[in-house]
């Protein structure tokens, strides 16, 4: 089984995200998505996310392409 791991903020899943997740899914048998934590978004973008982590993770889970959703690390 080939596992694929991708990362992102996913602060409102849109068509671009869906295309990205679909393409990632086609690269393997099992797709894991790491969703960025709030402090990482703040550091990268200079602002916090629009939606809390729990909601962003659920929106990613609700797509038909993903097998597992995890919290991204804080490094």
């Amino acid at each position: 089984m080939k596992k694929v791991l991708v990362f992102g903020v996913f602060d409102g899943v849109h068509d671009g995200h869906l295309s990205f997740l679909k393409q990632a899914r086609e690269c393997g048998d099992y797709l894991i998505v790491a969703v960025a934590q709030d402090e990482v978004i703040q550091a990268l973008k200079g602002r916090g996310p629009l939606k809390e982590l729990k909601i962003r993770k659920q929106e990613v889970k609700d797509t038909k392409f993903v097998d597992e959703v995890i919290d991204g690390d804080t490094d």
Side-chain angles (χ1 to χ4, degrees):
M1 175 191 306
K2 183 176 181 182
K3 293 183 180 181
V4 176
L5 174 64
V6 297
F7 304 85
V9 173
F10 302 100
D11 203 9
V13 175
H14 52 69
D15 289 344
H17 289 128
L18 294 175
S19 176
F20 170 65
L21 295 172
K22 180 178 184 272
Q23 290 175 58
R25 176 65 178 179
E26 291 170 353
C27 291
D29 305 304
Y30 191 86
L31 179 58
I32 304 165
V33 178
V35 179
Q37 295 197 38
D38 296 353
E39 58 266 31
V40 173
I41 298 167
Q42 181 68 44
L44 291 173
K45 295 188 173 192
R47 66 164 177 81
L50 301 174
K51 298 180 180 184
E52 64 182 75
L53 179 61
K54 179 180 174 182
I55 292 170
R56 292 183 287 124
K57 285 174 60 180
Q58 187 60 54
E59 288 181 351
V60 171
K61 283 180 189 177
D62 289 344
T63 71
K64 62 183 178 180
F65 307 111
V66 177
D67 295 300
E68 186 177 347
V69 179
I70 61 173
D71 293 355
D73 65 17
T74 55
D75 292 332

